[in-house]
Amino acid sequence: RIAVAGGSAGGHVAASTATLGKLAEETESNVNCTPNALILYNPVCDTSMLGYGGKRLGTRMRELSPVHSIHPHMPPTLVFHGDADKTVPLENAVRFKRLMDEAGNACELVTYAGAGHGFFNPGRKDDQYDDTTRRLDEFLTKLGFLAPSDSSMIAGRSLEQWQSELQSDDATARRRAAESIGQFGPLAAE
């Protein structure tokens, strides 16, 4: 089982693993790289002029745009997005969800009122880290990636224990906690 997650441009990369398979090189065509689940945090899911990055991609903007490549049989997807995101418009995530639904794919969009770009990272003014982590655990548990008894534990420690270390004055403890949580949850670098 493979779940792919990413935030912002990393969300574009994560979504692309499920939508842009047709771009695989011929030597890789016999390898299925499609994940079994997607977790997207304020993702760049539209690289056309309606989304983000269209000018940079030029004539390939639609070809490299996950929202323009949605198809049936995509993996279950969880999308987190803030309605105050000035970098990646919420409309892109709403459209992504609508197109996923129309293609018969399971897609949940969780919108956070007043949250800007990167709101899911710990320590931000509009920090929704705890809520996104809880929802991520519920999503992965529902899909069978986590056993129900494991959903509140990361590497044998509770989320509260890891969060305590993230706020520690000890830099080594903070780094260890970030690395441990990053292996199992949404500490995605943008």
Side-chain angles (χ1 to χ4, degrees), residues 3 5 26-27 40 47 52 63 76 81 90 103 108-109 116 126 130 135 142 146-147 150 156-157 160 173 176 178 186:
E26 282 188 38
T27 58
L40 309 175
T47 56
Y52 180 85
E63 177 188 12
H81 211 103
L90 173 61
E108 180 182 354
L109 172 61
D126 51 358
D130 291 345
R135 289 174 186 261
K142 182 173 67 175
L146 297 176
D150 294 340
R157 299 182 69 193
E160 291 77 20
R176 181 179 60 240

Side-chain angles (χ1 to χ4, degrees), residues 162-182 187:
W162 286 117
Q163 288 173 330
S164 176
E165 281 199 28
L166 280 173
Q167 297 172 0
S168 168
D169 291 332
D170 180 356
T172 303
R174 285 195 314 271
R175 185 172 51 256
R176 181 179 60 240
E179 289 171 356
S180 295
I181 293 172
L187 267 186

Side-chain angles (χ1 to χ4, degrees), residues 45 81 89-99 109 111:
C45 50
H81 211 103
L90 173 61
E91 182 279 330
N92 290 199
V94 170
R95 189 161 25 104
F96 182 87
K97 190 220 182 321
R98 179 179 52 79
L99 293 170
L109 172 61
T111 305

Side-chain angles (χ1 to χ4, degrees), residues 12-74:
H12 175 264
V13 172
S16 295
T17 65
T19 59
L20 304 181
K22 65 183 181 260
L23 297 177
E25 295 181 24
E26 282 188 38
T27 58
E28 298 173 354
S29 62
N30 62 341
V31 176
N32 182 357
C33 298
T34 304
N36 305 105
L38 294 176
I39 302 96
L40 309 175
Y41 301 86
N42 51 246
V44 175
C45 50
D46 183 355
T47 56
S48 74
M49 296 308 282
L50 292 175
Y52 180 85
K55 289 180 183 177
R56 293 179 184 158
L57 297 175
T59 60
R60 298 189 73 193
M61 71 175 82
R62 287 180 63 94
E63 177 188 12
L64 298 174
S65 179
V67 79
H68 291 97
S69 301
I70 291 173
H71 54 83
H73 310 294
M74 286 184 52

